[in-house]
Amino acid sequence: IHLDLFFAILFPHDKSYHTVGLDDIRPYFFKQGDIPVYAHQRVMASLQKRFDYIFDSENKYPGAPSVQEHVITNTAFTVKGVNILPVEVMHNRVQVFGFRIRDFAYITDAKIVEEEEAEKL
């Protein structure tokens, strides 16, 4: 039986407990190739700084995984035919994303969800 597995990473925000495992994508990278990463521009910049060896394009460390960067806004996007709707919420004074994927929603660290964003759920 052949299972078509595909891995992509959606980052809600850049706190360590959401990002520190990025280095652990190596086994998936070795099987799939570049792993698509979806994040707000602020989060992507933080990842690039923290995991520069993953984002480097020159003199890349052998064995380091590679990613495909996708900066997202609060506009829907598609990953392998699956529609993903970002839900913008506030974690104190920091904007973070939750995600609506089909009939499933994933939201962490939300203090405030504006009515317009709640309607996406």
Side-chain angles (χ1 to χ4, degrees):
I1 296 173
H2 179 265
L3 297 177
D4 185 22
L5 296 177
F6 179 80
F7 296 92
I9 302 170
L10 309 174
F11 283 104
H13 61 104
D14 58 350
K15 293 289 187 187
S16 291
Y17 52 89
H18 288 288
T19 62
V20 75
L22 185 57
D23 187 67
D24 296 329
I25 66 171
R26 291 171 194 254
Y28 304 104
F29 165 71
F30 294 145
K31 185 164 183 74
Q32 173 181 308
D34 294 0
I35 306 293
V37 170
Y38 297 83
H40 184 279
Q41 178 59 49
R42 180 191 77 254
V43 175
M44 194 68 75
S46 175
L47 293 169
Q48 291 166 344
K49 184 176 180 181
R50 185 178 294 165
F51 298 98
D52 59 335
Y53 62 96
I54 290 175
F55 290 85
D56 279 345
S57 57
E58 295 182 21
N59 302 317
K60 192 165 184 78
Y61 181 79
S66 293
V67 296
Q68 299 167 357
E69 301 171 52
H70 300 275
V71 173
I72 59 173
T73 62
N74 62 353
T75 303
F77 59 96
T78 302
V79 178
K80 291 291 263 193
V82 176
N83 192 42
I84 300 173
L85 182 59
V87 179
E88 193 169 287
V89 300
M90 296 301 293
H91 177 38
N92 198 8
R93 290 184 293 247
V94 177
Q95 176 275 343
V96 303
F97 278 131
F99 299 100
R100 166 94 186 263
I101 305 166
R102 295 185 180 132
D103 63 353
F104 172 79
Y106 178 77
I107 299 176
T108 66
D109 305 316
K111 183 173 183 180
I112 301 169
V113 180
E114 297 293 338
E115 187 174 326
E116 179 180 320
E117 294 299 304
E119 289 176 12
K120 294 178 179 179
L121 301 173

